[in-house]
Amino acid sequence: MIRRLLSRIANRSETDFTDPEAPAFTHAATPAGVRLIAVGDIHGHLDLAHDLMARLEDEHATASGPTHLIFLGDYVDRGPASAQVIDWLAGFAPGWATPHFLRGNHEQCLIDILSGAAPDDMLATWLDYGGRETLSSYGLGSRVLYSGDLEEIRAAIRQAIPPHHRRFLEATLPCLRFGDYLFAHAGIRPGVPVETQSEEDLFWIREPFLSSSDDFGAVVVHGHTITPVPENRHNRIGIDTGVYRHGVLTAVVLEGTSRRFVAAQASGVEAGQPAHQVGG
């Protein structure tokens, strides 16, 4: 299984599965009077996360009932401020919404490393796919991060990451459902009931989920797979617009049967236009 997980870390192709002729999923609805907001993969970009929260809070004035704010995971890796993002989220208690924190594949990798469950090849791969940026945000220097001594690196990770950050990571949820919407980091496996989905699929899946036209029993709101613009399908909504690659962090606001997208963009980035690639 570890080998499969490692191959999925490396499979970072930027594919646009958007079908412009896909019909609107007009009958999916939130619970009566409830607004749901899902936030895509933050990947260590605290500045854009703050910007997006400010935009969403400004919109809250039009909400007539409770708002639930669902973060879809991948808070860490690749960006410059993973430690600061975790510190912010661990204490995040906005007066205008109830926050919920899902787990992404990048959090799962870090949890496995902290618990000792990750073998050496998984640790080495994680370092190359955003882990070094995360550890740098926790204050670890190049001498340790590029030493090649995995035992030294493991010990440094355990010492650098504070207990309340680890508790936050371990408390993240695999998925969450409200009304006709299911929230999961990566998606679900078609043909498998929602209640029996594996965590591996919830955190890692791409195909056959992305190309499936099945009715999943709920509209799946997910991140994980980068597309230049949000995907609004009849059976799923994808909102990972590649903050570390395109400079755009996206949220979807669901209220009744309506859907709309809100984005925070790095300076010089226009909505729907990929920025220069900033990460590998």
Side-chain angles (χ1 to χ4, degrees), residues 254-274:
L254 308 167
E255 191 166 16
T257 58
S258 72
R259 305 176 182 177
R260 66 183 186 279
F261 298 94
V262 179
Q265 301 153 34
S267 177
V269 177
E270 296 182 6
Q273 297 297 319

Side-chain angles (χ1 to χ4, degrees), residues 163-175:
H164 73 286
H165 283 202
R166 184 167 177 174
R167 288 193 296 270
F168 170 83
L169 293 168
E170 291 172 347
T172 51
L173 303 172
C175 63

Side-chain angles (χ1 to χ4, degrees), residues 133-156:
E133 290 88 339
T134 291
L135 298 180
S136 178
S137 74
Y138 279 99
L140 298 187
S142 298
R143 188 200 66 78
V144 173
L145 297 180
Y146 292 92
S147 68
D149 185 335
L150 296 181
E151 285 309 307
E152 180 185 19
I153 293 171
R154 285 181 196 276

Side-chain angles (χ1 to χ4, degrees), residues 51-65:
D51 187 1
L52 184 59
M53 287 305 104
R55 293 168 187 260
L56 293 170
E57 185 173 6
D58 286 345
E59 287 200 357
H60 179 71
T62 64
S64 58

Side-chain angles (χ1 to χ4, degrees), residues 59-246:
E59 287 200 357
H60 179 71
T62 64
S64 58
T67 296
H68 292 272
L69 183 61
I70 302 105
F71 293 86
L72 294 178
D74 277 10
Y75 315 118
V76 301
D77 298 348
R78 294 180 172 150
S82 291
Q84 293 76 17
V85 167
I86 295 299
D87 203 56
W88 171 62
L89 292 175
F92 187 56
W96 56 275
T98 301
H100 307 270
F101 305 103
L102 303 191
R103 183 179 303 177
N105 56 304
H106 284 262
E107 284 77 50
Q108 187 59 57
C109 284
L110 183 52
I111 289 167
D112 288 343
I113 291 164
L114 287 167
S115 69
D120 285 354
D121 55 356
M122 186 175 184
L123 172 57
T125 300
W126 176 76
L127 290 171
D128 288 339
Y129 288 96
R132 284 191 177 88
E133 290 88 339
T134 291
L135 298 180
S136 178
S137 74
Y138 279 99
L140 298 187
S142 298
R143 188 200 66 78
V144 173
L145 297 180
Y146 292 92
S147 68
D149 185 335
L150 296 181
E151 285 309 307
E152 180 185 19
I153 293 171
R154 285 181 196 276
I157 293 171
R158 295 190 183 108
Q159 184 173 3
I161 296 180
H164 73 286
H165 283 202
R166 184 167 177 174
R167 288 193 296 270
F168 170 83
L169 293 168
E170 291 172 347
T172 51
L173 303 172
C175 63
L176 193 63
R177 182 164 185 171
F178 287 99
D180 295 328
Y181 291 97
L182 176 73
F183 301 85
H185 172 67
I188 64 173
R189 184 162 295 277
V192 177
V194 167
E195 61 273 12
T196 58
Q197 292 286 326
S198 72
E199 290 191 352
E200 181 182 345
D201 283 333
L202 292 169
F203 302 156
W204 291 91
I205 198 168
R206 287 196 170 96
E207 293 298 350
F209 167 68
L210 295 171
S211 59
S212 176
S213 60
D214 290 358
D215 180 346
F216 300 131
V219 175
V220 180
V221 183
H222 66 95
H224 186 59
T225 297
I226 294 175
T227 52
V229 295
E231 298 182 311
N232 191 7
R233 291 282 190 95
H234 70 284
N235 58 356
R236 67 179 180 86
I237 303 171
I239 59 170
D240 182 1
T241 47
V243 65
Y244 77 93
R245 189 177 294 179
H246 295 162

